[in-house]
mmCIF file of all heavy atoms in Angstrom:
data_model
loop_
_atom_site.group_PDB
_atom_site.id
_atom_site.type_symbol
_atom_site.label_atom_id
_atom_site.label_comp_id
_atom_site.label_asym_id
_atom_site.label_seq_id
_atom_site.Cartn_x
_atom_site.Cartn_y
_atom_site.Cartn_z
ATOM 1 N N ALA A 130 106.101 91.213 98.509
ATOM 2 C CA ALA A 130 106.950 90.330 99.319
ATOM 3 C C ALA A 130 106.556 88.855 99.231
ATOM 4 O O ALA A 130 107.419 87.995 99.200
ATOM 5 C CB ALA A 130 106.920 90.774 100.776
ATOM 6 N N VAL A 131 105.255 88.565 99.215
ATOM 7 C CA VAL A 131 104.842 87.154 99.274
ATOM 8 C C VAL A 131 105.009 86.480 97.900
ATOM 9 O O VAL A 131 105.666 85.461 97.763
ATOM 10 C CB VAL A 131 103.381 87.007 99.777
ATOM 11 C CG1 VAL A 131 103.061 85.543 100.029
ATOM 12 C CG2 VAL A 131 103.158 87.804 101.049
ATOM 13 N N PHE A 132 104.419 87.086 96.871
ATOM 14 C CA PHE A 132 104.568 86.575 95.509
ATOM 15 C C PHE A 132 104.923 87.720 94.562
ATOM 16 O O PHE A 132 104.052 88.226 93.839
ATOM 17 C CB PHE A 132 103.273 85.878 95.048
ATOM 18 C CG PHE A 132 103.075 84.506 95.614
ATOM 19 C CD1 PHE A 132 102.174 84.294 96.640
ATOM 20 C CD2 PHE A 132 103.805 83.419 95.135
ATOM 21 C CE1 PHE A 132 101.991 83.023 97.179
ATOM 22 C CE2 PHE A 132 103.634 82.149 95.664
ATOM 23 C CZ PHE A 132 102.721 81.950 96.692
ATOM 24 N N PRO A 133 106.192 88.143 94.547
ATOM 25 C CA PRO A 133 106.569 89.236 93.637
ATOM 26 C C PRO A 133 106.329 88.865 92.168
ATOM 27 O O PRO A 133 106.213 89.741 91.331
ATOM 28 C CB PRO A 133 108.072 89.427 93.903
ATOM 29 C CG PRO A 133 108.336 88.747 95.198
ATOM 30 C CD PRO A 133 107.318 87.658 95.352
ATOM 31 N N ASP A 134 106.221 87.537 91.890
ATOM 32 C CA ASP A 134 105.987 87.121 90.502
ATOM 33 C C ASP A 134 104.502 86.866 90.208
ATOM 34 O O ASP A 134 104.173 86.166 89.241
ATOM 35 C CB ASP A 134 106.801 85.851 90.204
ATOM 36 C CG ASP A 134 106.339 84.668 91.065
ATOM 37 O OD1 ASP A 134 105.702 84.905 92.118
ATOM 38 O OD2 ASP A 134 106.604 83.513 90.685
ATOM 39 N N ALA A 135 103.592 87.430 91.019
ATOM 40 C CA ALA A 135 102.149 87.266 90.779
ATOM 41 C C ALA A 135 101.823 87.685 89.340
ATOM 42 O O ALA A 135 102.455 88.574 88.787
ATOM 43 C CB ALA A 135 101.352 88.101 91.777
ATOM 44 N N ASP A 136 100.809 87.021 88.754
ATOM 45 C CA ASP A 136 100.497 87.268 87.339
ATOM 46 C C ASP A 136 99.761 88.578 87.122
ATOM 47 O O ASP A 136 99.815 89.163 86.040
ATOM 48 C CB ASP A 136 99.640 86.110 86.810
ATOM 49 C CG ASP A 136 100.341 84.786 87.021
ATOM 50 O OD1 ASP A 136 101.312 84.527 86.301
ATOM 51 O OD2 ASP A 136 99.953 84.032 87.941
ATOM 52 N N CYS A 137 99.038 89.026 88.147
ATOM 53 C CA CYS A 137 98.288 90.278 88.017
ATOM 54 C C CYS A 137 98.331 90.981 89.376
ATOM 55 O O CYS A 137 97.998 90.368 90.385
ATOM 56 C CB CYS A 137 96.846 89.948 87.635
ATOM 57 S SG CYS A 137 95.764 91.378 87.546
ATOM 58 N N LYS A 138 98.787 92.219 89.396
ATOM 59 C CA LYS A 138 98.871 92.937 90.676
ATOM 60 C C LYS A 138 98.031 94.209 90.600
ATOM 61 O O LYS A 138 98.236 95.032 89.711
ATOM 62 C CB LYS A 138 100.316 93.333 90.970
ATOM 63 C CG LYS A 138 101.278 92.172 91.067
ATOM 64 C CD LYS A 138 102.645 92.686 91.469
ATOM 65 C CE LYS A 138 103.718 91.658 91.257
ATOM 66 N NZ LYS A 138 105.053 92.155 91.598
ATOM 67 N N ILE A 139 97.114 94.313 91.536
ATOM 68 C CA ILE A 139 96.244 95.494 91.564
ATOM 69 C C ILE A 139 96.417 96.191 92.910
ATOM 70 O O ILE A 139 96.400 95.532 93.960
ATOM 71 C CB ILE A 139 94.769 95.091 91.364
ATOM 72 C CG1 ILE A 139 94.605 94.408 89.999
ATOM 73 C CG2 ILE A 139 93.844 96.304 91.469
ATOM 74 C CD1 ILE A 139 93.215 93.859 89.742
ATOM 75 N N PHE A 140 96.598 97.494 92.876
ATOM 76 C CA PHE A 140 96.694 98.280 94.106
ATOM 77 C C PHE A 140 95.411 99.099 94.206
ATOM 78 O O PHE A 140 95.165 100.007 93.421
ATOM 79 C CB PHE A 140 97.920 99.195 94.037
ATOM 80 C CG PHE A 140 98.297 99.781 95.374
ATOM 81 C CD1 PHE A 140 99.230 99.146 96.194
ATOM 82 C CD2 PHE A 140 97.728 100.972 95.809
ATOM 83 C CE1 PHE A 140 99.586 99.691 97.427
ATOM 84 C CE2 PHE A 140 98.078 101.521 97.040
ATOM 85 C CZ PHE A 140 99.012 100.885 97.855
ATOM 86 N N LEU A 141 94.582 98.708 95.177
ATOM 87 C CA LEU A 141 93.269 99.334 95.324
ATOM 88 C C LEU A 141 93.320 100.366 96.439
ATOM 89 O O LEU A 141 93.644 100.026 97.577
ATOM 90 C CB LEU A 141 92.276 98.232 95.700
ATOM 91 C CG LEU A 141 90.836 98.436 95.303
ATOM 92 C CD1 LEU A 141 90.676 98.200 93.824
ATOM 93 C CD2 LEU A 141 89.974 97.426 96.049
ATOM 94 N N THR A 142 92.991 101.587 96.128
ATOM 95 C CA THR A 142 93.036 102.598 97.184
ATOM 96 C C THR A 142 91.914 103.622 97.005
ATOM 97 O O THR A 142 91.143 103.555 96.046
ATOM 98 C CB THR A 142 94.427 103.285 97.193
ATOM 99 O OG1 THR A 142 94.517 104.098 98.371
ATOM 100 C CG2 THR A 142 94.676 104.131 95.964
ATOM 101 N N ALA A 143 91.815 104.544 97.960
ATOM 102 C CA ALA A 143 90.833 105.631 97.872
ATOM 103 C C ALA A 143 91.284 106.697 98.857
ATOM 104 O O ALA A 143 92.086 106.425 99.767
ATOM 105 C CB ALA A 143 89.434 105.126 98.236
ATOM 106 N N ASP A 144 90.765 107.875 98.672
ATOM 107 C CA ASP A 144 91.035 108.982 99.584
ATOM 108 C C ASP A 144 90.747 108.530 101.038
ATOM 109 O O ASP A 144 89.750 107.849 101.274
ATOM 110 C CB ASP A 144 90.087 110.123 99.176
ATOM 111 C CG ASP A 144 90.214 111.291 100.104
ATOM 112 O OD1 ASP A 144 91.093 112.121 99.860
ATOM 113 O OD2 ASP A 144 89.420 111.355 101.078
ATOM 114 N N PRO A 145 91.611 108.899 102.007
ATOM 115 C CA PRO A 145 91.399 108.437 103.393
ATOM 116 C C PRO A 145 90.012 108.781 103.950
ATOM 117 O O PRO A 145 89.423 107.987 104.688
ATOM 118 C CB PRO A 145 92.484 109.178 104.184
ATOM 119 C CG PRO A 145 93.526 109.536 103.187
ATOM 120 C CD PRO A 145 92.845 109.679 101.862
ATOM 121 N N HIS A 146 89.466 109.951 103.581
ATOM 122 C CA HIS A 146 88.137 110.309 104.091
ATOM 123 C C HIS A 146 87.050 109.424 103.485
ATOM 124 O O HIS A 146 86.079 109.082 104.156
ATOM 125 C CB HIS A 146 87.839 111.792 103.841
ATOM 126 C CG HIS A 146 88.517 112.673 104.855
ATOM 127 N ND1 HIS A 146 88.076 112.766 106.153
ATOM 128 C CD2 HIS A 146 89.626 113.444 104.763
ATOM 129 C CE1 HIS A 146 88.883 113.583 106.830
ATOM 130 N NE2 HIS A 146 89.837 114.004 106.007
ATOM 131 N N VAL A 147 87.229 109.049 102.236
ATOM 132 C CA VAL A 147 86.263 108.154 101.586
ATOM 133 C C VAL A 147 86.331 106.774 102.255
ATOM 134 O O VAL A 147 85.309 106.162 102.581
ATOM 135 C CB VAL A 147 86.549 108.033 100.065
ATOM 136 C CG1 VAL A 147 85.650 106.979 99.426
ATOM 137 C CG2 VAL A 147 86.397 109.377 99.380
ATOM 138 N N ARG A 148 87.549 106.300 102.532
ATOM 139 C CA ARG A 148 87.698 104.989 103.174
ATOM 140 C C ARG A 148 87.107 105.002 104.581
ATOM 141 O O ARG A 148 86.423 104.075 105.003
ATOM 142 C CB ARG A 148 89.186 104.583 103.205
ATOM 143 C CG ARG A 148 89.705 104.225 101.817
ATOM 144 C CD ARG A 148 91.107 103.662 101.864
ATOM 145 N NE ARG A 148 92.137 104.675 102.038
ATOM 146 C CZ ARG A 148 93.002 104.715 103.033
ATOM 147 N NH1 ARG A 148 92.978 103.802 103.977
ATOM 148 N NH2 ARG A 148 93.908 105.675 103.104
ATOM 149 N N ALA A 149 87.373 106.106 105.310
ATOM 150 C CA ALA A 149 86.847 106.203 106.688
ATOM 151 C C ALA A 149 85.316 106.267 106.668
ATOM 152 O O ALA A 149 84.657 105.659 107.518
ATOM 153 C CB ALA A 149 87.426 107.423 107.379
ATOM 154 N N ARG A 150 84.773 106.978 105.700
ATOM 155 C CA ARG A 150 83.312 107.104 105.588
ATOM 156 C C ARG A 150 82.675 105.730 105.333
ATOM 157 O O ARG A 150 81.686 105.354 105.958
ATOM 158 C CB ARG A 150 82.994 108.099 104.457
ATOM 159 C CG ARG A 150 81.559 108.325 104.088
ATOM 160 C CD ARG A 150 80.689 108.941 105.147
ATOM 161 N NE ARG A 150 81.226 110.162 105.740
ATOM 162 C CZ ARG A 150 80.708 110.777 106.813
ATOM 163 N NH1 ARG A 150 79.632 110.284 107.402
ATOM 164 N NH2 ARG A 150 81.248 111.866 107.300
ATOM 165 N N ARG A 151 83.285 104.964 104.432
ATOM 166 C CA ARG A 151 82.763 103.617 104.127
ATOM 167 C C ARG A 151 82.825 102.734 105.368
ATOM 168 O O ARG A 151 81.879 102.001 105.683
ATOM 169 C CB ARG A 151 83.599 102.960 103.024
ATOM 170 C CG ARG A 151 83.369 103.567 101.647
ATOM 171 C CD ARG A 151 84.281 102.864 100.661
ATOM 172 N NE ARG A 151 84.272 103.484 99.354
ATOM 173 C CZ ARG A 151 85.261 103.371 98.478
ATOM 174 N NH1 ARG A 151 86.334 102.663 98.774
ATOM 175 N NH2 ARG A 151 85.184 103.946 97.302
ATOM 176 N N ARG A 152 83.954 102.786 106.076
ATOM 177 C CA ARG A 152 84.109 101.974 107.283
ATOM 178 C C ARG A 152 83.089 102.399 108.339
ATOM 179 O O ARG A 152 82.484 101.582 109.019
ATOM 180 C CB ARG A 152 85.549 102.144 107.772
ATOM 181 C CG ARG A 152 86.074 101.277 108.881
ATOM 182 C CD ARG A 152 85.861 99.817 108.771
ATOM 183 N NE ARG A 152 86.516 99.103 107.689
ATOM 184 C CZ ARG A 152 87.667 98.467 107.765
ATOM 185 N NH1 ARG A 152 88.320 98.453 108.873
ATOM 186 N NH2 ARG A 152 88.164 97.808 106.755
ATOM 187 N N PHE A 153 82.892 103.713 108.454
ATOM 188 C CA PHE A 153 81.942 104.276 109.425
ATOM 189 C C PHE A 153 80.523 103.751 109.149
ATOM 190 O O PHE A 153 79.838 103.295 110.061
ATOM 191 C CB PHE A 153 82.006 105.807 109.333
ATOM 192 C CG PHE A 153 80.918 106.532 110.065
ATOM 193 C CD1 PHE A 153 80.894 106.559 111.451
ATOM 194 C CD2 PHE A 153 79.921 107.203 109.359
ATOM 195 C CE1 PHE A 153 79.892 107.246 112.134
ATOM 196 C CE2 PHE A 153 78.916 107.887 110.034
ATOM 197 C CZ PHE A 153 78.895 107.902 111.415
ATOM 198 N N GLU A 154 80.120 103.793 107.860
ATOM 199 C CA GLU A 154 78.760 103.323 107.497
ATOM 200 C C GLU A 154 78.603 101.844 107.851
ATOM 201 O O GLU A 154 77.569 101.423 108.365
ATOM 202 C CB GLU A 154 78.483 103.493 105.991
ATOM 203 C CG GLU A 154 78.612 104.908 105.441
ATOM 204 C CD GLU A 154 77.552 105.878 105.953
ATOM 205 O OE1 GLU A 154 76.611 105.429 106.627
ATOM 206 O OE2 GLU A 154 77.697 107.105 105.700
ATOM 207 N N GLU A 155 79.667 101.084 107.579
ATOM 208 C CA GLU A 155 79.639 99.644 107.838
ATOM 209 C C GLU A 155 79.498 99.375 109.345
ATOM 210 O O GLU A 155 78.675 98.579 109.774
ATOM 211 C CB GLU A 155 80.974 99.111 107.330
ATOM 212 C CG GLU A 155 81.077 97.637 107.076
ATOM 213 C CD GLU A 155 82.532 97.324 106.655
ATOM 214 O OE1 GLU A 155 83.058 97.991 105.725
ATOM 215 O OE2 GLU A 155 83.144 96.448 107.294
ATOM 216 N N LEU A 156 80.294 100.109 110.148
ATOM 217 C CA LEU A 156 80.272 99.898 111.597
ATOM 218 C C LEU A 156 78.962 100.374 112.204
ATOM 219 O O LEU A 156 78.461 99.801 113.159
ATOM 220 C CB LEU A 156 81.447 100.635 112.257
ATOM 221 C CG LEU A 156 82.836 100.096 111.938
ATOM 222 C CD1 LEU A 156 83.907 101.023 112.504
ATOM 223 C CD2 LEU A 156 83.006 98.693 112.533
ATOM 224 N N ARG A 157 78.395 101.443 111.604
ATOM 225 C CA ARG A 157 77.170 102.029 112.162
ATOM 226 C C ARG A 157 75.980 101.067 112.069
ATOM 227 O O ARG A 157 75.038 101.147 112.849
ATOM 228 C CB ARG A 157 76.841 103.344 111.459
ATOM 229 C CG ARG A 157 75.948 104.212 112.331
ATOM 230 C CD ARG A 157 75.880 105.598 111.886
ATOM 231 N NE ARG A 157 75.539 105.686 110.467
ATOM 232 C CZ ARG A 157 75.174 106.809 109.886
ATOM 233 N NH1 ARG A 157 75.102 107.914 110.582
ATOM 234 N NH2 ARG A 157 74.892 106.850 108.613
ATOM 235 N N GLU A 158 76.055 100.145 111.102
ATOM 236 C CA GLU A 158 74.966 99.162 110.991
ATOM 237 C C GLU A 158 74.890 98.294 112.243
ATOM 238 O O GLU A 158 73.829 97.848 112.639
ATOM 239 C CB GLU A 158 75.201 98.266 109.770
ATOM 240 C CG GLU A 158 74.784 98.954 108.493
ATOM 241 C CD GLU A 158 75.066 98.110 107.263
ATOM 242 O OE1 GLU A 158 75.157 96.874 107.390
ATOM 243 O OE2 GLU A 158 75.200 98.722 106.191
ATOM 244 N N LYS A 159 76.055 98.053 112.854
ATOM 245 C CA LYS A 159 76.073 97.203 114.059
ATOM 246 C C LYS A 159 76.008 98.029 115.327
ATOM 247 O O LYS A 159 75.522 97.590 116.346
ATOM 248 C CB LYS A 159 77.355 96.373 114.085
ATOM 249 C CG LYS A 159 77.349 95.274 113.046
ATOM 250 C CD LYS A 159 78.636 94.463 113.119
ATOM 251 C CE LYS A 159 79.109 94.088 111.726
ATOM 252 N NZ LYS A 159 80.514 94.291 111.482
#
Side-chain angles (χ1 to χ4, degrees):
V131 189
F132 283 104
D134 64 340
D136 304 287
C137 176
K138 300 184 194 178
I139 299 175
F140 194 93
L141 208 75
T142 190
D144 176 86
H146 281 286
V147 173
R148 289 187 282 121
R150 176 64 51 189
R151 288 178 188 157
R152 189 49 65 95
F153 169 71
E154 302 293 352
E155 198 183 309
L156 292 173
R157 202 165 52 167
E158 280 177 24
K159 288 181 219 134

